[in-house]
Amino acid sequence: MPLPQDSSQPRLASGCRWTGEGDKRMLLFPEGVLKLKGTGHAILERCDGQRTFRQIVDELQGLYSASEPEKVRNDVGGFLERLQQKRVVDF
Amino acid sequence: MLPGPLALIAEITHRCPLHCVYCSNPLQMAALCSELATEEWVGVYQQAAKLGVLHLHLTGGEPLARTDLTQLVDAAHAAGLYTNLITSGIGLSEHRLTALVRAGLDHVQLSFQDSRESSADWIAGTRAHALKVELAPMIRRSGVAFTINMVVHRQNLDRLEEMIALAESLHPDRLEIAHVQYYGWAFKNRDALLPTRKQVNDSLRIVAVAQERLAGRIHIEAVVPDYYARYPKACMGGWGRQQLIIDPAGKALPCHAAGVIPGLQFHTVREHSLEWIWRESDAFQKFRGEQWMPEPCRSCDRRAMDFGGCRCQAFLVAGDAASTDPACSLAPKHVLIEEVVARVNASSGSADHSPQVGEKINSLWSYRPQPGQ
Ligand code: SF4
Ligand code: SF4
């Protein structure tokens, strides 16, 4: 499967949703739950079907300015691709 | 402190319009008059959420046979649970689905018996296949997560590619290729259902090819059936460790088939709180952790991975619930599984019948009746 395109707008897949607040924030999906911290959480919270992949990468770059842009892009893309294969994210 | 359960499997009724020959319901089913009332289930969901349960699996029987299903989903959703409906589809209309989704339903898992109508209806003992195919687009449109569950065994495994193609045409998010597990009615019908080694090996290749081809569209889940695996499955994620089952009459069980184990007393949510049942009841403590384990499990490196396998299978096959699961190749009683496997592989293998609904081919198997029949 290809990585997301700059213009794709990642969103949570059908039947995947957030629950809880703060420390207890989790993503529920049919066969389990993701308790994410740090980068993973920052990426998924931005998968709102509005922001483009490019915007998400830019915002992440802003949060982690010490990392190389190419690396941030690959990491975010790879992470979204894995979650798409689990049918948690669509893009 | 003992962690609470993460998932509650609520068998809200044993009534079902189908009669699948592999049904995991117990041979002694709970009758309609013993079923928990709406408000009793609602209380159970609220207690479950407080105990830490995240996922509710509404199953049966056929959950749609309960006329209060929408109310149950509504209450579960209000309690904060993620709700899964595990269904044959019979009893689902567009109107009912809309109401369920509005009440907060998150996920529908629709089961199929085969890719071909005649064989599917033969397995189910009733006409159901065509209706399921019709329902799929409606479920897909409704916005919930959609899983197709294909139950496989010797009588249909030769059509696995065709079954995957059928699933693909219905656009689910997930496809579960579920080998029959030999409890309940399936144990009774084991000799007609257990696949051959060749079928199992072919199916692994077919699944791997489909997984690659459908990656990103349909997530395919499939496990090697335990009769052919080297080590047993981590049944229920460990006894009294992550999940519990409540039967239609409110009896709490650590495993679907636990009712067959002699000497265990199971309590109902009518008499006790869910918390007490989970933490204190003898039945849930009996095989929790590692204290109960015999050798070779006690000193085996895999004991934290598979928890010694399934207690019900140990009882059903080896006659001792506290022994190593005989599906494990290290088990002293593994020969009992090897014998069944050898017998099945020596016999003629799969049959390609054009059977009639309800026809019992030379009494090949027993259909599951309705509770109380
Ligand atoms: S396995 Fe078949 S008979 Fe048993 S509950 Fe499910 S649909 Fe009904
Ligand atoms: S001996 Fe026991 S713990 Fe080890 S693999 Fe077999 S069942 Fe699992």
Side-chain angles (χ1 to χ4, degrees):
Chain A
M1 280 306 289
L3 296 182
Q5 314 246 311
D6 273 353
S7 61
S8 41
Q9 295 169 296
R11 60 189 179 280
L12 298 184
S14 311
C16 303
R17 63 177 171 88
W18 292 101
T19 186
E21 295 302 326
D23 268 4
K24 295 203 168 135
R25 192 128 170 97
M26 299 176 271
L27 186 73
L28 293 167
F29 61 103
E31 64 273 61
V33 58
L34 285 173
K35 294 179 189 169
L36 291 162
K37 293 200 182 75
T39 324
H41 187 249
I43 299 171
L44 265 190
E45 288 276 16
R46 288 172 170 76
C47 294
D48 53 9
Q50 304 290 320
R51 290 173 168 88
T52 61
F53 175 59
R54 168 127 203 196
Q55 273 175 299
I56 296 173
V57 171
D58 286 349
E59 289 180 29
L60 265 286
Q61 181 72 54
L63 288 178
Y64 303 94
S65 49
S67 309
E68 273 189 43
E70 200 51 25
K71 182 174 180 334
V72 172
R73 196 188 151 80
N74 284 337
D75 287 354
V76 176
F79 177 76
L80 290 178
E81 189 194 7
R82 279 195 303 282
L83 287 181
Q84 192 210 21
Q85 294 194 356
K86 293 188 84 167
R87 305 305 301 124
V88 171
V89 165
D90 264 327
F91 50 78
Chain B
M1 193 163 88
L2 177 73
L6 295 173
L8 169 64
I9 300 166
E11 285 178 357
I12 56 179
T13 180
H14 278 156
R15 288 171 290 140
C16 183
L18 276 64
H19 310 279
C20 303
V21 290
Y22 50 69
C23 184
S24 63
N25 284 165
L27 302 182
Q28 285 298 323
M29 288 177 278
L32 170 62
C33 59
S34 67
E35 288 182 10
L36 293 185
T38 313
E39 52 290 357
E40 289 176 301
W41 277 119
V42 171
V44 169
Y45 303 155
Q46 290 165 345
Q47 292 183 54
K50 282 212 188 82
L51 263 183
V53 168
L54 298 171
H55 282 76
L56 171 67
H57 304 283
L58 293 163
T59 179
E62 173 49 65
L64 291 160
R66 294 255 331 197
T67 50
D68 58 354
L69 183 61
T70 304
Q71 267 171 282
L72 297 180
V73 167
D74 190 51
H77 181 76
L81 300 175
Y82 186 96
T83 53
N84 298 286
L85 175 63
I86 300 167
T87 181
S88 70
I90 310 304
L92 194 62
S93 61
E94 181 112 52
H95 180 73
R96 208 163 175 206
L97 180 61
T98 309
L100 286 165
V101 173
R102 205 170 289 151
L105 186 66
D106 292 294
H107 172 219
V108 173
Q109 181 185 306
L110 183 66
S111 62
F112 280 83
Q113 279 74 22
D114 205 314
S115 48
R116 297 191 188 168
E117 184 172 7
S118 59
S119 353
D121 291 349
W122 174 55
I123 301 284
T126 190
R127 292 198 189 285
H129 182 79
L131 186 77
K132 290 164 188 269
V133 175
E134 269 172 44
L135 286 171
M138 182 175 103
I139 298 171
R140 179 66 294 177
R141 278 195 311 272
S142 73
V144 295
F146 178 29
T147 298
I148 286 183
N149 178 277
M150 294 273 183
V151 184
V152 294
H153 45 77
R154 181 154 94 252
Q155 308 296 331
N156 66 7
L157 209 45
D158 291 340
R159 287 185 290 281
L160 183 57
E161 277 173 311
E162 212 178 276
M163 288 191 270
I164 294 173
L166 170 65
E168 193 181 344
S169 74
L170 302 174
H171 309 292
D173 304 293
R174 295 171 177 76
L175 169 60
E176 255 180 46
I177 297 171
H179 277 273
V180 165
Q181 310 239 8
Y182 297 98
Y183 310 109
W185 295 90
F187 189 71
K188 223 171 138 70
N189 293 317
R190 187 174 62 174
D191 278 26
L193 291 170
L194 194 70
T196 63
R197 188 175 299 280
K198 172 162 189 330
Q199 284 182 312
V200 171
N201 290 340
D202 289 349
S203 74
L204 295 177
R205 274 193 295 277
I206 292 169
V207 166
V209 170
Q211 277 172 329
E212 168 112 27
R213 184 168 56 83
L214 297 170
R217 283 197 287 148
I218 303 177
H219 180 78
I220 304 183
E221 200 69 70
V223 286
V224 180
D226 58 357
Y227 277 51
Y228 285 97
R230 185 171 310 168
Y231 302 114
K233 59 181 180 290
C235 187
M236 300 297 288
W239 185 277
R241 190 166 161 274
Q242 292 184 331
Q243 312 180 51
L244 79 164
I245 295 166
I246 308 224
D247 88 352
K251 194 161 72 178
L253 301 164
C255 174
H256 288 279
V260 298
I261 299 175
L264 285 186
Q265 199 200 344
F266 300 102
H267 295 279
T268 83
V269 293
R270 284 182 168 135
E271 322 153 317
H272 293 280
S273 72
L274 212 53
E275 180 167 13
W276 182 87
I277 290 173
W278 179 257
R279 294 192 197 287
E280 313 282 339
S281 72
D282 285 346
F284 276 79
Q285 296 194 64
K286 179 87 183 173
F287 300 113
R288 184 179 267 152
E290 296 179 355
Q291 286 309 307
W292 64 273
M293 281 185 184
E295 290 296 353
C297 299
R298 187 177 274 273
S299 53
C300 176
D301 286 346
R302 294 185 55 90
R303 68 186 187 280
M305 277 180 264
D306 64 30
F307 314 100
C310 177
R311 300 302 86 231
C312 311
Q313 183 150 278
F315 173 72
L316 282 172
V317 175
D320 177 6
S323 63
T324 298
D325 185 337
C328 176
S329 56
L330 307 173
K333 296 280 182 66
H334 185 55
V335 57
L336 294 171
I337 295 286
E338 287 176 316
E339 277 167 14
V340 182
V341 168
R343 188 163 72 228
V344 162
N345 281 283
S347 74
S348 59
S350 72
D352 200 12
H353 309 282
S354 309
Q356 297 300 306
V357 172
E359 179 192 351
K360 295 182 188 173
I361 299 203
N362 302 329
S363 320
L364 184 61
W365 50 39
S366 319
Y367 284 102
R368 189 210 101 138
Q370 282 295 307
Q373 275 178 12

